Amino acid sequence: MELSVAEENYIKAIYSLSQSGKVSTNDLAQAMQTKASSATDMLKRLGEKALVNYVKYQGVSLSDAGNRVALKTIRKHRLWEVFLVNKLQFGWDEVHEIAEELEHVRSAKLTEKLAEFLGDPRFDPHGDPIPNSAGELPKHSVKTLGECKTGEQLILQRVNDGNPEFLQYLERIALHLGEKLKIKSQYTFDNSVEIERQDGSVLMLSETVTNNLYVIEQ
Amino acid sequence: MELSVAEENYIKAIYSLSQSGKVSTNDLAQAMQTKASSATDMLKRLGEKALVNYVKYQGVSLSDAGNRVALKTIRKHRLWEVFLVNKLQFGWDEVHEIAEELEHVRSAKLTEKLAEFLGDPRFDPHGDPIPNSAGELPKHSVKTLGECKTGEQLILQRVNDGNPEFLQYLERIALHLGEKLKIKSQYTFDNSVEIERQDGSVLMLSETVTNNLYVIEQ
DNA sequence: AATTATTTTTAGATTTGCCTAAAAATATAT
DNA sequence: ATATATTTTTAGGCAAATCTAAAAATAATT
Ligand SMILES: [Mn+2]
Ligand SMILES: [Mn+2]
Ligand SMILES: [Mn+2]
Ligand SMILES: [Mn+2]
Protein backbone atom coordinates (compact mmCIF):
# COMPACT_ATOMS: atom_id res chain seq x y z
CA MET A 1 0.00 0.00 0.00
CA GLU A 2 1.82 3.09 -1.32
CA LEU A 3 0.86 6.20 0.61
CA SER A 4 1.29 9.72 -0.74
CA VAL A 5 3.24 12.39 1.08
CA ALA A 6 -0.04 14.20 1.84
CA GLU A 7 -1.61 11.05 3.33
CA GLU A 8 1.41 10.41 5.56
CA ASN A 9 1.35 14.01 6.76
CA TYR A 10 -2.34 13.88 7.62
CA ILE A 11 -1.82 10.63 9.52
CA LYS A 12 1.05 12.16 11.48
CA ALA A 13 -1.11 15.16 12.34
CA ILE A 14 -3.99 12.95 13.51
CA TYR A 15 -1.56 10.95 15.64
CA SER A 16 -0.18 14.07 17.22
CA LEU A 17 -3.59 15.63 17.89
CA SER A 18 -4.89 12.36 19.35
CA GLN A 19 -2.43 12.68 22.26
CA SER A 20 -4.52 15.54 23.62
CA GLY A 21 -8.05 14.23 23.09
CA LYS A 22 -10.55 13.68 20.28
CA VAL A 23 -9.62 15.00 16.83
CA SER A 24 -12.01 17.34 15.02
CA THR A 25 -11.95 18.28 11.36
CA ASN A 26 -11.24 21.89 12.25
CA ASP A 27 -8.26 21.06 14.47
CA LEU A 28 -6.87 18.81 11.78
CA ALA A 29 -7.29 21.47 9.09
CA GLN A 30 -5.54 23.99 11.31
CA ALA A 31 -2.66 21.62 12.03
CA MET A 32 -2.29 20.94 8.30
CA GLN A 33 -2.52 24.65 7.46
CA THR A 34 -5.40 24.01 5.10
CA LYS A 35 -9.19 24.37 4.94
CA ALA A 36 -11.73 22.18 6.72
CA SER A 37 -13.16 21.07 3.38
CA SER A 38 -9.77 19.74 2.32
CA ALA A 39 -9.46 17.84 5.59
CA THR A 40 -12.91 16.30 5.09
CA ASP A 41 -11.87 15.14 1.61
CA MET A 42 -8.75 13.50 2.96
CA LEU A 43 -10.57 11.89 5.87
CA LYS A 44 -12.95 10.21 3.43
CA ARG A 45 -10.00 8.81 1.45
CA LEU A 46 -8.13 7.65 4.56
CA GLY A 47 -11.35 6.10 5.83
CA GLU A 48 -11.77 4.11 2.60
CA LYS A 49 -8.20 2.87 2.97
CA ALA A 50 -9.02 1.83 6.57
CA LEU A 51 -6.24 4.00 7.98
CA VAL A 52 -8.65 6.00 10.13
CA ASN A 53 -11.99 5.48 11.84
CA TYR A 54 -14.04 8.31 10.47
CA VAL A 55 -17.73 8.93 11.01
CA LYS A 56 -19.25 12.09 9.57
CA TYR A 57 -19.50 14.87 12.14
CA GLN A 58 -18.11 12.54 14.84
CA GLY A 59 -14.38 13.27 14.54
CA VAL A 60 -11.60 10.86 13.62
CA SER A 61 -9.11 8.42 15.17
CA LEU A 62 -6.33 6.28 13.72
CA SER A 63 -6.92 2.59 13.03
CA ASP A 64 -4.20 0.10 13.98
CA ALA A 65 -2.85 0.30 10.44
CA GLY A 66 -2.90 4.11 10.61
CA ASN A 67 -1.09 4.02 13.93
CA ARG A 68 1.66 1.90 12.44
CA VAL A 69 2.06 4.35 9.56
CA ALA A 70 2.29 7.26 12.01
CA LEU A 71 4.94 5.59 14.16
CA LYS A 72 6.97 4.52 11.15
CA THR A 73 6.97 8.05 9.77
CA ILE A 74 7.82 9.56 13.15
CA ARG A 75 10.67 7.05 13.50
CA LYS A 76 12.10 8.15 10.16
CA HIS A 77 11.66 11.84 10.94
CA ARG A 78 13.50 11.62 14.23
CA LEU A 79 16.28 9.37 12.97
CA TRP A 80 16.99 11.86 10.16
CA GLU A 81 17.06 14.69 12.72
CA VAL A 82 19.70 12.77 14.69
CA PHE A 83 21.69 12.26 11.49
CA LEU A 84 21.52 15.93 10.56
CA VAL A 85 22.62 17.14 13.98
CA ASN A 86 25.11 14.44 15.00
CA LYS A 87 26.70 13.68 11.65
CA LEU A 88 26.21 16.77 9.50
CA GLN A 89 26.59 19.33 12.30
CA PHE A 90 23.30 21.10 11.71
CA GLY A 91 21.87 23.25 14.50
CA TRP A 92 18.84 21.79 16.26
CA ASP A 93 16.76 24.66 14.95
CA GLU A 94 17.45 23.76 11.30
CA VAL A 95 16.58 20.09 11.10
CA HIS A 96 12.82 19.77 11.53
CA GLU A 97 11.97 21.23 8.14
CA ILE A 98 14.48 19.05 6.30
CA ALA A 99 13.32 15.96 8.20
CA GLU A 100 9.77 16.74 7.06
CA GLU A 101 10.98 15.84 3.56
CA LEU A 102 13.35 13.00 4.40
CA GLU A 103 10.70 11.16 6.45
CA HIS A 104 8.83 10.32 3.24
CA VAL A 105 11.65 8.36 1.59
CA ARG A 106 10.21 4.88 1.24
CA SER A 107 12.94 2.27 1.69
CA ALA A 108 12.53 0.35 4.97
CA LYS A 109 16.06 -0.98 4.62
CA LEU A 110 17.32 2.61 4.55
CA THR A 111 15.57 3.34 7.84
CA GLU A 112 17.11 0.34 9.55
CA LYS A 113 20.61 0.94 8.15
CA LEU A 114 20.39 4.59 9.18
CA ALA A 115 19.33 3.64 12.70
CA GLU A 116 22.26 1.24 12.97
CA PHE A 117 24.69 3.86 11.63
CA LEU A 118 23.49 6.28 14.30
CA GLY A 119 23.82 3.67 17.07
CA ASP A 120 20.07 3.03 17.45
CA PRO A 121 19.33 6.29 19.24
CA ARG A 122 16.29 6.36 21.51
CA PHE A 123 15.79 10.13 21.46
CA ASP A 124 16.12 12.82 18.80
CA PRO A 125 17.98 16.15 19.21
CA HIS A 126 14.92 17.72 20.82
CA GLY A 127 14.46 14.88 23.32
CA ASP A 128 11.56 13.35 21.37
CA PRO A 129 11.40 9.56 21.72
CA ILE A 130 12.20 7.50 18.62
CA PRO A 131 9.90 4.49 18.08
CA ASN A 132 11.90 1.30 17.57
CA SER A 133 11.48 -0.85 14.46
CA ALA A 134 8.56 -2.63 16.15
CA GLY A 135 6.82 0.71 16.72
CA GLU A 136 7.38 0.86 20.47
CA LEU A 137 8.01 4.29 21.98
CA PRO A 138 10.60 4.82 24.74
CA LYS A 139 9.19 6.34 27.92
CA HIS A 140 9.13 10.10 27.74
CA SER A 141 7.75 13.10 29.52
CA VAL A 142 4.32 14.51 28.73
CA LYS A 143 4.39 17.07 31.57
CA THR A 144 5.21 20.65 30.64
CA LEU A 145 7.12 23.01 32.89
CA GLY A 146 3.98 25.14 32.86
CA GLU A 147 2.02 22.42 34.68
CA CYS A 148 4.51 22.13 37.57
CA LYS A 149 4.29 23.65 41.03
CA THR A 150 6.57 26.08 42.85
CA GLY A 151 9.44 24.34 44.61
CA GLU A 152 9.53 21.31 42.29
CA GLN A 153 12.96 20.12 41.16
CA LEU A 154 12.97 19.04 37.55
CA ILE A 155 15.09 17.94 34.60
CA LEU A 156 14.48 19.33 31.10
CA GLN A 157 13.83 16.26 28.97
CA ARG A 158 12.39 17.50 25.68
CA VAL A 159 11.33 20.61 23.79
CA ASN A 160 8.89 21.27 20.97
CA ASP A 161 10.84 21.27 17.71
CA GLY A 162 8.41 22.95 15.34
CA ASN A 163 9.46 26.57 15.73
CA PRO A 164 13.10 27.42 14.85
CA GLU A 165 12.95 30.79 16.61
CA PHE A 166 11.93 29.11 19.87
CA LEU A 167 14.90 26.74 19.56
CA GLN A 168 17.24 29.65 18.81
CA TYR A 169 15.92 31.37 21.92
CA LEU A 170 16.72 28.32 24.05
CA GLU A 171 20.19 28.28 22.51
CA ARG A 172 20.59 31.96 23.31
CA ILE A 173 19.82 31.45 27.00
CA ALA A 174 21.87 28.19 26.92
CA LEU A 175 18.99 26.08 28.20
CA HIS A 176 19.92 22.56 27.18
CA LEU A 177 18.35 19.12 27.51
CA GLY A 178 19.27 17.39 30.76
CA GLU A 179 19.66 20.62 32.76
CA LYS A 180 18.34 20.56 36.33
CA LEU A 181 15.83 23.27 37.21
CA LYS A 182 13.95 24.39 40.30
CA ILE A 183 10.78 26.47 40.20
CA LYS A 184 11.31 29.53 42.41
CA SER A 185 8.05 31.35 41.80
CA GLN A 186 5.03 31.47 39.53
CA TYR A 187 3.05 34.55 38.53
CA THR A 188 -0.63 33.88 38.00
CA PHE A 189 -1.41 37.13 36.17
CA ASP A 190 0.55 36.02 33.06
CA ASN A 191 1.56 32.44 34.01
CA SER A 192 5.23 33.28 33.79
CA VAL A 193 7.68 31.28 35.89
CA GLU A 194 10.95 32.04 37.61
CA ILE A 195 13.39 29.14 37.68
CA GLU A 196 16.70 28.58 39.38
CA ARG A 197 19.37 26.97 37.22
CA GLN A 198 22.22 24.58 38.01
CA ASP A 199 24.73 27.43 38.27
CA GLY A 200 22.50 29.25 40.75
CA SER A 201 21.37 31.90 38.29
CA VAL A 202 17.74 32.79 37.89
CA LEU A 203 15.66 32.88 34.73
CA MET A 204 12.22 34.24 33.87
CA LEU A 205 10.21 32.20 31.37
CA SER A 206 6.95 33.20 29.67
CA GLU A 207 3.91 30.94 29.51
CA THR A 208 4.58 30.21 25.83
CA VAL A 209 8.04 29.00 26.74
CA THR A 210 7.02 26.83 29.71
CA ASN A 211 4.23 25.21 27.67
CA ASN A 212 6.81 23.96 25.19
CA LEU A 213 9.33 22.54 27.65
CA TYR A 214 8.75 18.98 28.92
CA VAL A 215 10.27 17.89 32.19
CA ILE A 216 10.65 14.91 34.52
CA GLU A 217 11.06 14.98 38.27
CA GLN A 218 14.63 15.06 39.54
CA MET B 1 11.18 28.57 -8.36
CA GLU B 2 9.92 25.39 -6.69
CA LEU B 3 10.09 22.46 -9.08
CA SER B 4 8.01 19.31 -8.69
CA VAL B 5 9.55 15.85 -8.52
CA ALA B 6 8.12 15.12 -11.99
CA GLU B 7 9.65 18.27 -13.45
CA GLU B 8 13.08 17.46 -12.01
CA ASN B 9 12.89 13.92 -13.36
CA TYR B 10 12.00 15.10 -16.87
CA ILE B 11 14.86 17.58 -16.80
CA LYS B 12 17.29 14.85 -15.73
CA ALA B 13 16.06 12.62 -18.55
CA ILE B 14 16.45 15.40 -21.14
CA TYR B 15 19.96 16.06 -19.84
CA SER B 16 20.89 12.41 -20.10
CA LEU B 17 19.41 11.96 -23.59
CA SER B 18 21.11 15.15 -24.81
CA GLN B 19 24.52 13.50 -24.36
CA SER B 20 23.78 11.27 -27.34
CA GLY B 21 22.19 13.74 -29.75
CA LYS B 22 18.91 15.60 -30.25
CA VAL B 23 16.03 14.71 -27.94
CA SER B 24 12.69 13.67 -29.41
CA THR B 25 9.34 13.48 -27.63
CA ASN B 26 9.23 9.74 -28.18
CA ASP B 27 12.68 9.10 -26.71
CA LEU B 28 11.80 11.23 -23.73
CA ALA B 29 8.51 9.42 -23.18
CA GLN B 30 10.31 6.09 -23.35
CA ALA B 31 12.98 7.21 -20.88
CA MET B 32 10.25 8.40 -18.50
CA GLN B 33 8.24 5.21 -18.98
CA THR B 34 5.19 7.18 -20.03
CA LYS B 35 3.25 8.14 -23.15
CA ALA B 36 4.31 10.66 -25.78
CA SER B 37 1.26 12.78 -25.04
CA SER B 38 2.32 13.10 -21.41
CA ALA B 39 5.80 14.13 -22.48
CA THR B 40 4.34 16.79 -24.78
CA ASP B 41 2.28 18.13 -21.86
CA MET B 42 5.35 18.40 -19.67
CA LEU B 43 7.48 19.97 -22.42
CA LYS B 44 4.94 22.76 -22.77
CA ARG B 45 5.07 23.45 -19.05
CA LEU B 46 8.87 23.32 -18.89
CA GLY B 47 8.99 25.58 -21.94
CA GLU B 48 6.77 28.17 -20.23
CA LYS B 49 9.08 28.08 -17.22
CA ALA B 50 12.03 28.64 -19.58
CA LEU B 51 13.76 25.47 -18.42
CA VAL B 52 13.82 24.00 -21.92
CA ASN B 53 13.91 25.25 -25.51
CA TYR B 54 10.94 23.55 -27.01
CA VAL B 55 9.53 24.08 -30.49
CA LYS B 56 6.62 21.93 -31.61
CA TYR B 57 7.74 18.96 -33.69
CA GLN B 58 11.38 20.13 -33.48
CA GLY B 59 12.55 18.30 -30.36
CA VAL B 60 13.82 19.79 -27.12
CA SER B 61 17.01 20.95 -25.38
CA LEU B 62 17.75 22.31 -21.92
CA SER B 63 18.10 26.05 -21.36
CA ASP B 64 20.94 27.28 -19.13
CA ALA B 65 18.52 27.32 -16.19
CA GLY B 66 17.41 23.77 -17.04
CA ASN B 67 21.01 22.64 -17.25
CA ARG B 68 21.69 24.00 -13.79
CA VAL B 69 18.68 22.13 -12.41
CA ALA B 70 19.88 18.90 -14.05
CA LEU B 71 23.41 19.18 -12.66
CA LYS B 72 22.16 20.09 -9.21
CA THR B 73 19.86 17.06 -9.16
CA ILE B 74 22.58 14.75 -10.47
CA ARG B 75 24.96 16.08 -7.82
CA LYS B 76 22.47 15.25 -5.10
CA HIS B 77 21.73 11.81 -6.56
CA ARG B 78 25.37 10.81 -6.69
CA LEU B 79 26.29 12.23 -3.30
CA TRP B 80 23.48 10.22 -1.72
CA GLU B 81 24.73 7.10 -3.50
CA VAL B 82 28.17 7.67 -1.98
CA PHE B 83 26.56 8.09 1.43
CA LEU B 84 24.53 4.91 1.10
CA VAL B 85 27.50 2.79 0.01
CA ASN B 86 30.33 4.31 2.07
CA LYS B 87 28.49 5.13 5.27
CA LEU B 88 25.48 2.81 5.41
CA GLN B 89 27.17 -0.20 3.79
CA PHE B 90 24.62 -0.68 1.03
CA GLY B 91 25.63 -2.72 -2.00
CA TRP B 92 26.23 -0.71 -5.18
CA ASP B 93 23.26 -2.48 -6.78
CA GLU B 94 20.81 -1.20 -4.13
CA VAL B 95 21.43 2.53 -4.07
CA HIS B 96 20.20 3.95 -7.37
CA GLU B 97 16.52 3.50 -6.59
CA ILE B 98 16.81 5.06 -3.13
CA ALA B 99 18.86 7.96 -4.52
CA GLU B 100 16.06 8.59 -7.03
CA GLU B 101 13.98 9.68 -4.02
CA LEU B 102 16.66 11.40 -1.96
CA GLU B 103 17.77 13.58 -4.89
CA HIS B 104 14.53 15.56 -4.63
CA VAL B 105 15.03 16.77 -1.06
CA ARG B 106 15.22 20.53 -1.44
CA SER B 107 17.67 21.99 1.09
CA ALA B 108 20.83 23.30 -0.61
CA LYS B 109 22.56 23.46 2.76
CA LEU B 110 21.91 19.75 3.18
CA THR B 111 23.63 19.01 -0.11
CA GLU B 112 26.72 20.99 0.84
CA LYS B 113 26.91 19.57 4.37
CA LEU B 114 26.50 16.06 2.98
CA ALA B 115 29.28 16.63 0.43
CA GLU B 116 31.58 17.86 3.18
CA PHE B 117 30.71 14.90 5.42
CA LEU B 118 31.63 12.55 2.58
CA GLY B 119 34.93 14.35 1.89
CA ASP B 120 33.77 16.09 -1.30
CA PRO B 121 33.88 12.96 -3.45
CA ARG B 122 34.40 13.45 -7.19
CA PHE B 123 32.92 10.11 -8.28
CA ASP B 124 29.99 8.01 -7.12
CA PRO B 125 30.10 4.24 -6.39
CA HIS B 126 29.57 3.46 -10.08
CA GLY B 127 32.35 5.79 -11.24
CA ASP B 128 29.92 8.50 -12.35
CA PRO B 129 31.34 12.01 -11.97
CA ILE B 130 29.77 14.26 -9.31
CA PRO B 131 29.25 17.89 -10.38
CA ASN B 132 30.75 20.31 -7.84
CA SER B 133 28.66 22.99 -6.18
CA ALA B 134 29.32 25.28 -9.17
CA GLY B 135 27.95 22.63 -11.53
CA GLU B 136 31.28 21.62 -13.05
CA LEU B 137 31.71 17.95 -13.94
CA PRO B 138 35.01 16.12 -13.32
CA LYS B 139 36.55 14.58 -16.44
CA HIS B 140 35.18 11.14 -17.07
CA SER B 141 35.09 8.46 -19.72
CA VAL B 142 32.43 8.40 -22.42
CA LYS B 143 34.03 5.50 -24.31
CA THR B 144 32.48 2.06 -23.81
CA LEU B 145 34.46 -1.16 -23.83
CA GLY B 146 32.35 -2.14 -26.83
CA GLU B 147 33.84 0.69 -28.89
CA CYS B 148 37.47 -0.35 -28.29
CA LYS B 149 39.79 -2.35 -30.55
CA THR B 150 41.55 -5.66 -30.04
CA GLY B 151 44.88 -5.28 -28.26
CA GLU B 152 43.93 -2.09 -26.40
CA GLN B 153 44.91 -1.87 -22.73
CA LEU B 154 42.23 -0.21 -20.63
CA ILE B 155 41.09 0.67 -17.14
CA LEU B 156 37.46 0.24 -16.08
CA GLN B 157 36.37 3.68 -14.94
CA ARG B 158 32.58 3.58 -14.65
CA VAL B 159 29.52 1.39 -15.13
CA ASN B 160 25.84 2.08 -15.81
CA ASP B 161 24.00 2.05 -12.50
CA GLY B 162 20.40 1.73 -13.62
CA ASN B 163 20.04 -2.07 -13.61
CA PRO B 164 20.66 -3.85 -10.28
CA GLU B 165 21.00 -7.27 -11.96
CA PHE B 166 23.79 -5.98 -14.18
CA LEU B 167 25.63 -4.66 -11.11
CA GLN B 168 25.13 -7.98 -9.31
CA TYR B 169 26.59 -9.74 -12.34
CA LEU B 170 29.69 -7.55 -12.21
CA GLU B 171 29.97 -8.34 -8.51
CA ARG B 172 29.65 -12.04 -9.29
CA ILE B 173 32.56 -11.98 -11.75
CA ALA B 174 34.44 -9.61 -9.40
CA LEU B 175 34.89 -6.96 -12.06
CA HIS B 176 35.59 -3.79 -10.11
CA LEU B 177 36.25 -0.15 -10.95
CA GLY B 178 39.93 0.55 -11.56
CA GLU B 179 40.76 -2.92 -12.85
CA LYS B 180 43.17 -3.12 -15.82
CA LEU B 181 41.89 -4.99 -18.85
CA LYS B 182 43.28 -6.00 -22.24
CA ILE B 183 41.10 -6.90 -25.21
CA LYS B 184 42.20 -10.31 -26.47
CA SER B 185 39.62 -10.84 -29.21
CA GLN B 186 36.34 -9.56 -30.58
CA TYR B 187 33.61 -11.60 -32.28
CA THR B 188 31.74 -9.70 -34.96
CA PHE B 189 28.81 -12.13 -35.24
CA ASP B 190 27.48 -11.15 -31.80
CA ASN B 191 29.85 -8.34 -30.79
CA SER B 192 31.06 -10.27 -27.77
CA VAL B 193 34.55 -9.56 -26.46
CA GLU B 194 37.23 -11.64 -24.77
CA ILE B 195 39.32 -9.74 -22.21
CA GLU B 196 42.40 -10.60 -20.24
CA ARG B 197 42.32 -9.55 -16.60
CA GLN B 198 45.00 -8.37 -14.20
CA ASP B 199 45.45 -11.86 -12.73
CA GLY B 200 45.95 -13.31 -16.21
CA SER B 201 42.53 -14.97 -16.37
CA VAL B 202 40.28 -14.56 -19.38
CA LEU B 203 36.67 -13.42 -19.48
CA MET B 204 33.98 -13.40 -22.16
CA LEU B 205 31.64 -10.40 -22.15
CA SER B 206 28.42 -9.98 -24.17
CA GLU B 207 27.65 -6.88 -26.22
CA THR B 208 25.11 -5.75 -23.61
CA VAL B 209 27.82 -5.89 -20.98
CA THR B 210 30.54 -4.09 -22.97
CA ASN B 211 28.10 -1.31 -23.92
CA ASN B 212 27.59 -0.53 -20.24
CA LEU B 213 31.23 -0.47 -19.17
CA TYR B 214 33.14 2.80 -19.65
CA VAL B 215 36.93 2.72 -19.90
CA ILE B 216 39.98 4.95 -20.22
CA GLU B 217 43.29 4.05 -21.85
CA GLN B 218 45.91 2.62 -19.54
C1' DA C 1 -37.83 24.96 22.86
C1' DA C 2 -36.54 28.06 19.56
C1' DT C 3 -33.02 30.93 17.80
C1' DT C 4 -28.38 31.86 16.79
C1' DA C 5 -23.65 30.59 16.19
C1' DT C 6 -20.25 27.32 15.02
C1' DT C 7 -18.59 23.30 12.87
C1' DT C 8 -18.63 20.18 9.25
C1' DT C 9 -19.83 18.55 4.84
C1' DT C 10 -21.14 19.06 -0.03
C1' DA C 11 -20.95 21.19 -4.61
C1' DG C 12 -18.38 22.91 -8.07
C1' DA C 13 -13.61 24.71 -9.77
C1' DT C 14 -8.64 24.52 -10.41
C1' DT C 15 -3.87 22.53 -11.09
C1' DT C 16 -0.68 18.77 -11.91
C1' DG C 17 0.32 14.70 -14.13
C1' DC C 18 -1.22 11.06 -16.35
C1' DC C 19 -4.25 8.31 -19.87
C1' DT C 20 -6.64 6.92 -24.73
C1' DA C 21 -8.16 8.05 -29.19
C1' DA C 22 -8.08 11.04 -33.04
C1' DA C 23 -5.96 14.61 -35.87
C1' DA C 24 -1.98 16.88 -37.77
C1' DA C 25 2.76 17.10 -39.10
C1' DT C 26 6.85 14.96 -40.65
C1' DA C 27 9.53 11.17 -42.62
C1' DT C 28 9.96 7.18 -45.70
C1' DA C 29 8.99 4.42 -49.72
C1' DT C 30 7.24 3.59 -54.05
C1' DA D 1 5.33 13.36 -56.42
C1' DT D 2 2.11 10.60 -54.13
C1' DA D 3 0.98 7.29 -50.94
C1' DT D 4 2.14 5.13 -46.64
C1' DA D 5 4.13 4.93 -42.20
C1' DT D 6 5.77 7.10 -38.16
C1' DT D 7 5.99 10.69 -34.91
C1' DT D 8 3.98 14.28 -32.48
C1' DT D 9 0.33 17.06 -30.92
C1' DT D 10 -4.47 17.95 -29.61
C1' DA D 11 -8.88 16.86 -27.48
C1' DG D 12 -11.22 15.11 -23.82
C1' DG D 13 -11.13 12.50 -19.35
C1' DC D 14 -9.57 10.93 -14.76
C1' DA D 15 -7.52 11.02 -9.89
C1' DA D 16 -5.26 13.57 -6.13
C1' DA D 17 -5.16 17.54 -3.52
C1' DT D 18 -6.42 21.88 -2.97
C1' DC D 19 -9.74 26.10 -2.90
C1' DT D 20 -14.38 29.07 -2.22
C1' DA D 21 -19.15 29.37 -1.39
C1' DA D 22 -23.31 27.29 0.06
C1' DA D 23 -25.92 23.81 2.60
C1' DA D 24 -26.51 20.75 6.47
C1' DA D 25 -25.62 19.22 11.08
C1' DT D 26 -24.36 20.12 15.71
C1' DA D 27 -23.57 23.12 19.72
C1' DA D 28 -24.53 27.13 22.50
C1' DT D 29 -27.78 30.84 24.07
C1' DT D 30 -31.62 33.01 25.27
MN1 LIG E 1 10.94 17.42 13.94
MN1 LIG F 1 12.54 16.53 16.83
MN1 LIG G 1 22.11 6.30 -9.77
MN1 LIG H 1 25.53 6.09 -9.75
Side-chain angles (χ1 to χ4, degrees), chain B residues 153-154 156 169-177 179-184 194-205 218:
Chain B
Q153 300 203 298
L154 307 155
L156 180 61
Y169 169 79
L170 296 180
E171 205 52 46
R172 189 85 181 296
I173 62 176
L175 195 55
H176 296 128
L177 296 183
E179 182 164 344
K180 291 178 184 166
L181 309 170
K182 183 178 165 188
I183 302 188
K184 281 199 73 174
E194 197 176 44
I195 61 166
E196 187 180 313
R197 306 183 61 169
Q198 267 173 318
D199 62 4
S201 71
V202 164
L203 198 61
M204 197 65 131
L205 300 174
Q218 237 181 75

Side-chain angles (χ1 to χ4, degrees), chain A residues 4 6 10 34-35 37-38 41-42 45 57:
Chain A
S4 71
Y10 270 95
T34 185
K35 297 295 150 86
S37 55
S38 303
D41 264 14
M42 182 58 92
R45 276 196 296 274
Y57 294 103

Side-chain angles (χ1 to χ4, degrees), chain A residues 101, chain B residues 5 8-9 73 76 99-106:
Chain A
E101 294 192 51
Chain B
V5 168
E8 285 185 352
N9 282 335
T73 310
K76 291 193 280 181
E100 283 293 314
E101 294 191 52
L102 287 165
E103 72 188 5
H104 302 293
V105 175
R106 283 165 174 74

